[in-house]
Amino acid sequence: NRAILYDAMGNQRVTFKDVAGLDEAKEEVAEIVEFLKNPKKFTRLGGKLPKGVLLVGPPGTGKTLLAKAVAGEAGVPFFSISGSDFVEMFVGVGAARVRDLFRQAKEKAPCIIFIDEIDAIGRSRGRGIMMGANDERENTLNQLLVEMDGFNTDKGVIIMAATNRPDVLDPALLRPGRFDRQILIDKPDRRERLEIFKVHTRDLILADDVDLEVLAGQTPGFAGAEIANVCNEAALLAARKGKEAVEMEDFEQAIDRVIAGLEKKNKIISPEE
Ligand code: ATP
């Protein structure tokens, strides 16, 4: 089983400090953190918490990071699974995995279940591509719906899922009692890019000429993942040149590389679209 348990004491712990920008999204999930810390406090008057929260936004914008941070802030285990794991699976395996995941999560509650790329299992049913593969995906999706319906949030299990294609999701997933809350995770604006640069240069040795504001201005359209990449590339470039600190020119070179990489990817991807 590939579900990963992020121990509250382990290295993998992520907190809101690691998530730059996304202030509104953090505010929205703060309630879930409170709930996971103390489930009974919320439900004592008979109210019900959301079971599922859908994080919607382009790749690399911090959806996984935010979900991990919710678990980290609350100090609860994080179980994760990716929709793309279920593609090309043998009959019955996908559904069994989902069942197993929920069983483990219920044992370890309160906790978070995170489903990345939920669109890979959660596409509208009956849009058949190839029959066989599609049937199995439907089985997996049906199992997910059964599991979501089959527990109460008072157990303290919250399901977070991420997608950049909310338009293809099966409407059944979005019904009340399932993923009835959506949080938009957009690409960062200039101010947020600055915050992301700050987070990802925390552990670097920077030369005096490095101006993060300028770098934020030079990276329109970059997602957090690309900025993290730039910072790491810059540090490697500087080290290779034998420098004692990472300089502005290293960052600028790294930005050029990342842009070149993105352009190449677009060239490969766009003819199919
Ligand atoms: P995908 O949809 O491709 O899975 P995602 O939205 O889940 O992408 P993450 O996996 O959370 O993106 O982000 C990848 C990495 O990019 C993070 O581990 C982190 O290093 C960096 N990153 C992304 N967004 C942010 C952010 N808002 N603040 C700090 N770092 C970020």
Side-chain angles (χ1 to χ4, degrees):
N1 197 320
R2 269 196 60 240
I4 305 167
L5 180 62
Y6 287 84
D7 187 324
M9 312 294 282
N11 294 332
Q12 307 274 22
R13 181 165 183 173
V14 174
T15 67
F16 284 156
K17 272 209 315 291
D18 302 302
V19 185
L22 303 183
D23 294 335
E24 270 178 44
K26 278 194 246 179
E27 236 167 73
E28 289 198 52
V29 295
E31 185 190 14
I32 296 171
V33 173
E34 288 307 307
F35 165 68
L36 290 167
K37 282 185 181 164
N38 189 356
K40 290 216 175 64
K41 183 176 142 195
F42 280 81
T43 49
R44 79 191 164 89
L45 302 180
K48 286 198 176 69
L49 262 108
K51 281 184 189 175
V53 178
L54 189 64
L55 306 176
V56 177
T61 44
K63 297 183 290 297
T64 308
L65 193 68
L66 184 68
K68 280 185 186 167
V70 169
E73 290 284 336
V76 302
F78 180 81
F79 292 93
S80 94
I81 208 158
S82 175
S84 57
D85 294 348
F86 293 101
V87 178
E88 290 178 29
M89 225 171 222
F90 291 111
V91 175
V93 176
R97 270 251 192 116
V98 168
R99 215 176 306 127
D100 201 39
L101 180 69
F102 276 80
R103 187 185 46 72
Q104 282 192 53
K106 278 183 241 167
E107 277 169 17
K108 294 281 191 299
C111 69
I112 294 272
I113 292 179
F114 178 66
I115 307 172
D116 202 1
E117 301 180 61
I118 191 166
D119 42 282
I121 25 176
R123 271 172 196 268
S124 301
R125 288 166 285 190
R127 277 192 187 180
I129 332 163
M130 294 169 303
M131 264 330 264
N134 217 36
D135 279 353
E136 178 48 11
R137 196 183 48 65
E138 271 180 29
N139 286 341
T140 308
L141 172 58
N142 287 333
Q143 188 63 37
L144 177 62
L145 297 174
V146 166
E147 293 291 346
M148 286 190 83
D149 293 342
F151 75 93
N152 287 322
T153 28
D154 36 337
K155 299 266 188 308
V157 180
I158 297 279
I159 306 155
M160 297 181 81
T163 183
N164 49 17
R165 295 295 311 275
D167 52 312
V168 302
L169 289 182
D170 194 302
L173 275 171
L174 307 176
R175 282 208 195 108
R178 293 172 182 163
F179 292 100
D180 47 9
R181 273 206 198 177
Q182 295 196 18
I183 299 179
L184 188 67
I185 311 284
D186 228 335
K187 283 209 180 168
D189 62 17
R190 189 188 176 121
R191 186 190 58 77
E192 289 171 313
R193 291 197 300 276
L194 174 61
E195 296 306 312
I196 299 171
F197 268 109
K198 284 184 189 161
V199 165
H200 287 280
T201 50
R202 251 183 341 205
D203 298 328
L204 306 184
I205 299 170
L206 298 182
D208 289 341
D209 74 336
V210 172
D211 187 334
L212 299 182
E213 299 233 12
V214 171
L215 293 173
Q218 288 174 344
T219 46
F222 277 43
E226 281 128 29
I227 294 174
N229 202 349
V230 163
C231 295
N232 194 54
E233 276 281 306
L236 294 178
L237 283 169
R240 196 198 297 159
K241 293 179 205 152
K243 292 183 185 175
E244 294 301 315
V246 193
E247 294 171 4
M248 196 63 171
E249 61 165 24
D250 303 310
F251 279 99
E252 282 165 349
Q253 225 175 312
I255 289 172
D256 288 342
R257 279 199 182 186
V258 170
I259 290 175
L262 290 175
E263 279 170 0
K264 213 189 269 168
K265 213 160 69 182
N266 283 342
K267 259 195 214 127
I268 298 168
I269 290 168
S270 36
E272 294 166 4
E273 283 183 344

